[in-house]
Amino acid sequence: MRSFTKTALGLTTAGLLVAGLAACSTDEGTASTSSSSSSSSSSSAEATPTPVASIPALTGVDTAVLLDADFAAALTSLGLTPGTVGTATLEEGSLHFPITGGNVDYYDPAEDYRPYVQGNIEHEGSGFSLTAGDTVVELTNFTIDPGTSELFGDVTANGESAATQVKLFDLYGGTLKPLQMDGDNAILTGTTVHISADAAGLLNTTFGTDAIADQLLVGIATITVNTK
């Protein structure tokens, strides 16, 4: 394992997130391919190479999602009111979910091992809600898998658990903008967030509609990570 200076570690952190959210998520077929490749590659300890770089503990800052205007209009047409849960905030049309932990390993992309970015980005204790009349659905405790570019989370309906760490959103990084640095923070903007088939089914069933479509665009994500 390499030993990094503070500056090198910061650049490595940023690079890992770029690779995880862009190179591994440019089309819809990539997630399933990466997932099956990961299972095959990890079938034995001997098949697992040493990471080129590893970040054992991610800290702050947050993942923000600027809500798409059509998504907001769709919620209004369905009589659904969005809200925040826990430590999440809503600022100027963007939902913010603090990063609370996670880890990332980066393997040489020139080798056969896939996915070459593995780990998770955790957002414990935050989320958002959708309310219609007396029905309240909360989506919380988000976990991003940078290897498959999928976002998982917990779902409750009127306080009762409906699903735990189910796939809620697909992330596509084909429109990512160049990496920006703001002091010690690495900022990535442009990953689009889409409702998964599982989440669409859950929401349609709960709210008695069929209007929430699989892969409906929710918004554009900005991930800000403290690289110290």
Side-chain angles (χ1 to χ4, degrees), residues 179-199:
L179 175 73
Q180 294 182 325
M181 294 297 296
D182 181 9
D184 291 318
N185 293 335
I187 303 172
L188 290 169
T189 298
T191 298
T192 56
V193 181
H194 303 256
I195 290 180
S196 73
D198 290 341

Side-chain angles (χ1 to χ4, degrees), residues 38-161:
S38 177
S39 298
S40 174
S41 299
S42 302
S43 60
S44 66
E46 292 77 14
T48 305
T50 300
V52 173
S54 182
I55 303 171
L58 293 173
T59 60
V61 178
D62 67 15
T63 295
V65 179
L66 177 62
L67 298 177
D68 181 74
D70 289 340
F71 176 71
L75 294 183
T76 299
S77 69
L78 292 171
L80 300 178
T81 302
T84 59
V85 178
T87 56
T89 58
L90 178 60
E91 302 171 17
E92 298 181 348
S94 290
L95 288 165
H96 292 256
F97 311 106
I99 293 173
T100 58
N103 62 87
V104 181
D105 288 329
Y106 177 80
Y107 298 88
D108 186 351
E111 301 296 331
D112 293 332
Y113 192 68
R114 291 295 185 272
Y116 60 83
V117 180
Q118 299 185 22
N120 59 81
I121 304 172
E122 300 169 357
H123 308 76
E124 292 291 328
S126 67
F128 71 95
S129 62
L130 294 172
T131 302
D134 294 331
T135 302
V136 180
V137 172
E138 294 185 348
L139 311 177
T140 59
N141 301 324
F142 300 142
T143 301
I144 295 174
D145 183 335
T148 62
S149 292
E150 297 170 328
L151 187 153
F152 300 84
D154 300 335
V155 182
T156 63
N158 292 332
E160 298 293 329
S161 176

Side-chain angles (χ1 to χ4, degrees), residues 3-13 184 226-228:
S3 175
F4 298 103
T5 64
K6 176 180 176 180
T7 300
L9 181 57
L11 293 174
T12 300
T13 304
D184 291 318
N226 185 343
T227 63
K228 289 196 299 183

